[in-house]
């Protein structure tokens, strides 16, 4: 009797019996980076952390049975570089020339607000 009641209460837009149905969703919910720099007077240290959050959901139905699986993956990468302040001052112009090309092309891709 309980089985018949469950069939009666099933959603009107779904058939009462399904041979096979599979639904799958995948998303990269978040990607973000955090960077910071600090100096102790003689050395500059720059650190970068990058994160990705991925989620997947699968639903498989065979006849009256439904099997669901869900998973979330958190991945991260990090890196640190330390440079003596004197070396950084000596290469300042070369670094500025190299970075300015990337900065200009990045700013051109930003949308108008």
């Amino acid at each position: 009797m309980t089985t018949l009641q469950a069939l009666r209460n099933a959603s009107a837009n779904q058939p009462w019996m399904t041979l096979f149905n599979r639904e799958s969703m995948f998303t990269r919910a978040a990607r973000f980076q955090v960077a910071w720099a600090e100096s102790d007077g003689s050395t500059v240290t720059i650190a970068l952390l990058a994160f990705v959050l991925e989620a997947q959901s699968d639903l498989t139905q065979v006849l009256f049975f439904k099997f669901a699986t869900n998973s979330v993956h958190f991945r991260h990468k990090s890196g640190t570089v330390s440079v003596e302040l004197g070396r950084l001052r000596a290469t300042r112009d070369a670094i500025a020339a190299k970075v300015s090309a990337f900065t200009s092309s990045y700013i051109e891709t930003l949308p108008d607000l």
Side-chain angles (χ1 to χ4, degrees), residues 17-103:
M17 187 171 92
T18 300
L19 292 178
F20 181 82
N21 184 30
R22 180 167 186 170
E23 299 174 17
S24 183
M25 292 188 334
F26 176 80
T27 186
R28 284 196 173 145
R31 285 185 233 171
F32 55 95
Q33 297 178 353
V34 178
W36 71 90
E38 59 187 4
S39 175
D40 64 3
S42 63
T43 304
V44 175
T45 302
I46 302 170
L48 174 68
L49 300 168
F51 305 93
V52 175
L53 187 62
E54 299 173 334
Q56 182 164 356
S57 176
D58 294 312
L59 175 65
T60 304
Q61 181 176 355
V62 179
L63 294 177
F64 302 110
F65 304 100
K66 290 185 179 182
F67 306 96
T69 59
N70 298 302
S71 63
V72 176
H73 298 281
F74 178 76
R75 296 186 299 151
H76 64 89
K77 297 286 182 183
S78 63
T80 305
V81 64
S82 296
V83 182
E84 292 178 356
L85 199 52
R87 168 95 42 197
L88 194 57
R89 286 187 181 130
T91 57
R92 178 188 320 196
D93 294 335
I95 293 171
K98 197 74 142 164
V99 171
S100 66
F102 294 110
T103 305

